[in-house]
């Protein structure tokens, strides 16, 4: 159950697009289309932004989108806004026999 | 309003036990799997344990396997985490999280509580 690998930080100017990568293995990200993404502002609980790789929960802006290629999932934020500045975590299912889940290392998004 | 409220955290000595509770409201509790996720101070999220709607499927992170036990009482709309043989590295904010499915099939955590802090120190 090694954590998925994310860049420590990503930054962009308002209006720009940024992409956060989430790299796992063929045992987790590569095996299941079940990556979810969470946004966490300081001192707050995480919030679900993307599930099943690319689906958005009701109420989440369509500026957030998810995708996957091989063992790497990605979260793209388009039209970056000041309120998007937060920590972002990916999470993947890691085992149907052991019901494992694994989070990513987390990425700090800074809006310049 | 959909809500999860954790309780039971506190300061505990290494080797001792603690039981966390999570009270759910605003949704049909026994329709969904539930999870515990923790976050050490200044660190990232770590999945701890999950339980299906009927307690038929249960999973644990390797770091807590054999020491922690997850359970639920659907009649009381409550989720629990019994933590034994606590270690300093278990110090974290423990979140209760609702799954968006009944079974532990890799879906997402769509509702989170505000967390309860557990500090393991002598």
């Amino acid at each position: 159950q090694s954590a998925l690998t994310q860049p420590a930080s990503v930054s962009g100017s308002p209006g720009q697009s940024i992409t956060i990568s989430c790299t796992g293995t063929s045992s987790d990200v590569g095996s299941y289309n079940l990556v979810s993404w969470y946004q966490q502002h300081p001192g707050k609980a995480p919030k679900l932004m993307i599930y099943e790789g690319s689906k958005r929960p009701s109420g989440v802006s369509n500026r957030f989108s998810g995708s996957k290629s091989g063992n790497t999932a990605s979260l793209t934020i388009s039209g970056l806004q000041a309120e998007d500045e937060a920590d972002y975590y990916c999470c993947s299912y890691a085992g149907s026999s052991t019901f494992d889940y694994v989070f990513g290392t987390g990425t700090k998004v800074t809006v310049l | 309003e959909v809500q999860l409220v954790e309780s039971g955290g506190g300061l505990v000595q290494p080797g001792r036990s603690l039981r966390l509770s999570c009270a759910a409201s605003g949704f049909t509790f026994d329709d969904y799997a539930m999870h515990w996720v923790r976050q050490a101070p200044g660190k990232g999220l770590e999945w701890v344990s999950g339980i299906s709607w009927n307690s038929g499927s249960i999973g644990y992170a390797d770091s807590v396997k054999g020491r922690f036990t997850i359970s639920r009482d659907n009649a009381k709309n409550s989720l629990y985490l019994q933590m034994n043989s606590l270690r300093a590295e278990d110090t974290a904010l423990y979140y209760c999280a609702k799954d968006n499915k009944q079974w532990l099939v890799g879906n997402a955590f769509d509702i989170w509580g505000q967390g309860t802090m557990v500090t393991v120190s002598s």
Side-chain angles (χ1 to χ4, degrees):
Chain A
Q1 290 181 338
S2 298
L4 308 176
T5 300
Q6 297 180 232
S9 62
V10 173
S11 62
S13 299
Q16 287 187 330
S17 293
I18 61 169
T19 296
I20 302 168
S21 62
C22 169
T23 301
T25 69
S26 57
S27 297
D28 39 61
V29 176
S31 286
Y32 308 96
N33 198 25
L34 292 168
V35 173
S36 52
W37 289 90
Y38 302 85
Q39 176 192 66
Q40 187 180 35
H41 287 108
K44 300 295 185 181
K47 175 186 176 183
L48 176 65
M49 305 302 285
I50 295 287
Y51 67 102
E52 293 178 18
S54 60
K55 298 179 180 179
R56 273 188 313 275
S58 174
V60 171
S61 171
N62 60 8
R63 298 185 298 104
F64 292 83
S65 61
S67 63
K68 192 190 87 166
S69 178
N71 296 338
T72 298
S74 298
L75 174 71
T76 297
I77 308 174
S78 58
L80 200 60
Q81 298 180 2
E83 68 211 47
D84 300 331
E85 185 162 297
D87 293 325
Y88 291 82
Y89 296 90
C90 60
C91 182
S92 175
Y93 195 44
S96 58
S97 58
T98 55
F99 310 113
D100 285 335
Y101 297 73
V102 60
F103 277 95
T105 50
T107 298
K108 170 66 177 177
V109 168
T110 300
V111 181
L112 301 172
Chain B
E1 180 191 4
V2 176
Q3 195 171 13
L4 297 171
V5 179
E6 302 92 338
S7 61
L11 174 63
V12 61
Q13 293 178 328
R16 303 298 291 266
S17 299
L18 207 58
R19 188 195 196 207
L20 306 184
S21 299
C22 171
S25 59
F27 65 97
T28 305
F29 183 71
D30 56 10
D31 273 353
Y32 298 97
M34 296 292 296
H35 301 264
W36 289 99
V37 177
R38 69 185 181 183
Q39 187 169 34
K43 302 297 184 181
L45 301 173
E46 179 188 15
W47 177 79
V48 173
S49 182
I51 185 169
S52 63
W53 70 280
N54 64 351
S55 304
S57 298
I58 288 175
Y60 297 97
D62 286 346
S63 57
V64 306
K65 205 169 290 183
R67 300 186 299 122
F68 290 11
T69 302
I70 191 172
S71 63
R72 64 189 294 162
D73 185 336
N74 288 344
K76 295 183 178 180
N77 290 344
S78 293
L79 176 72
Y80 306 100
L81 186 67
Q82 177 66 42
M83 305 185 295
N84 298 331
S85 303
L86 282 162
R87 305 167 180 168
E89 54 263 37
D90 295 319
T91 293
L93 184 64
Y94 284 73
Y95 291 105
C96 168
K98 171 187 167 293
D99 198 301
N100 61 357
K101 299 287 185 182
Q102 285 187 316
W103 298 99
L104 299 181
V105 291
N107 287 285
F109 316 127
D110 61 355
I111 302 295
W112 296 65
Q114 288 304 306
T116 186
M117 186 68 200
V118 172
T119 302
V120 184
S121 174
S122 54

